[in-house]
Amino acid sequence: MFHENDVQRLKELGDWIRGTFGTNLAAGAPVQASEAMAGHEALYAVDGDRDTFWAPQEGTEQAVLTVDLGTEQTFDHVVLQEYRYSQRVERFALEYMEDGEWKTAYNGTVIGYKRICPFPAVTSRYIRLSIQESRWWPNLSAFEVYHGDRNA
């Protein structure tokens, strides 16, 4: 049985989740890839369709995806999702452009099915995923960018 405090905490958690993940800043944004396999273009990482995915050429172990948010945006969470149940990405970095230089916001290991990457808020027009190591060739069905609502 839930106590009144538990119900309140669950409500606050739900508000925080809705506030943080309510608006994907990268949805439909222009995206460029260091390379792409035919039929698996970069735009499939930001199209919101989990049945499409970006992939570089077979055999590629390192690749880069860069999302143009259109204007400077503040963000502090990225959600990455490999296609279906893949677990190919072994090491990656999330980087943002500041004063003409790429700076690291987050370093990660395995993405797996889905990975939520929280980091201190940054403001930039560009964010990129730099895949530094992968098994066989990586793929990505979601590259989502969010700014948490700290007042929720």
Side-chain angles (χ1 to χ4, degrees):
M1 181 135 214
F2 285 110
H3 290 82
E4 198 170 310
N5 289 349
D6 295 330
V7 172
Q8 181 60 33
R9 279 186 265 164
L10 286 173
K11 181 187 177 315
E12 290 169 1
L13 177 60
D15 291 345
W16 180 84
I17 290 170
R18 281 186 293 281
T20 299
F21 300 104
T23 302
N24 176 7
L25 302 173
V31 60
Q32 293 184 339
S34 54
E35 61 179 285
M37 183 185 300
H40 299 288
E41 288 77 23
L43 67 97
Y44 292 141
V46 296
D47 69 355
D49 183 347
R50 297 299 193 263
D51 290 324
T52 62
F53 62 96
W54 161 80
Q57 300 299 318
E58 191 170 334
T60 300
E61 293 182 5
Q62 298 176 338
V64 176
L65 275 175
T66 305
V67 175
D68 179 350
L69 300 174
T71 61
E72 287 208 340
Q73 302 279 339
T74 300
F75 48 91
D76 58 4
H77 287 80
V78 168
V79 175
L80 302 171
Q81 183 171 344
E82 291 187 68
Y83 181 66
R84 307 262 174 177
Y85 303 103
S86 277
Q87 190 171 331
R88 297 181 179 188
V89 175
E90 294 288 322
R91 189 167 52 94
F92 68 94
L94 290 166
E95 302 163 317
Y96 62 98
M97 178 72 70
E98 182 178 87
D99 297 326
E101 294 182 28
W102 288 105
K103 299 191 176 182
T104 302
Y106 186 92
N107 284 303
T109 55
V110 176
I111 292 175
Y113 177 66
K114 186 181 281 187
R115 175 89 179 246
I116 299 173
C117 308
F119 47 87
V122 298
T123 300
S124 181
R125 177 177 173 169
Y126 301 99
I127 181 165
R128 76 178 179 186
L129 168 66
S130 178
I131 298 172
Q132 300 158 341
E133 186 179 339
S134 64
R135 294 185 224 169
W136 197 20
W137 46 272
N139 64 65
L140 204 66
S141 65
F143 185 164
E144 302 170 349
V145 179
Y146 298 97
H147 181 241
D149 180 358
R150 300 299 182 213
N151 297 317

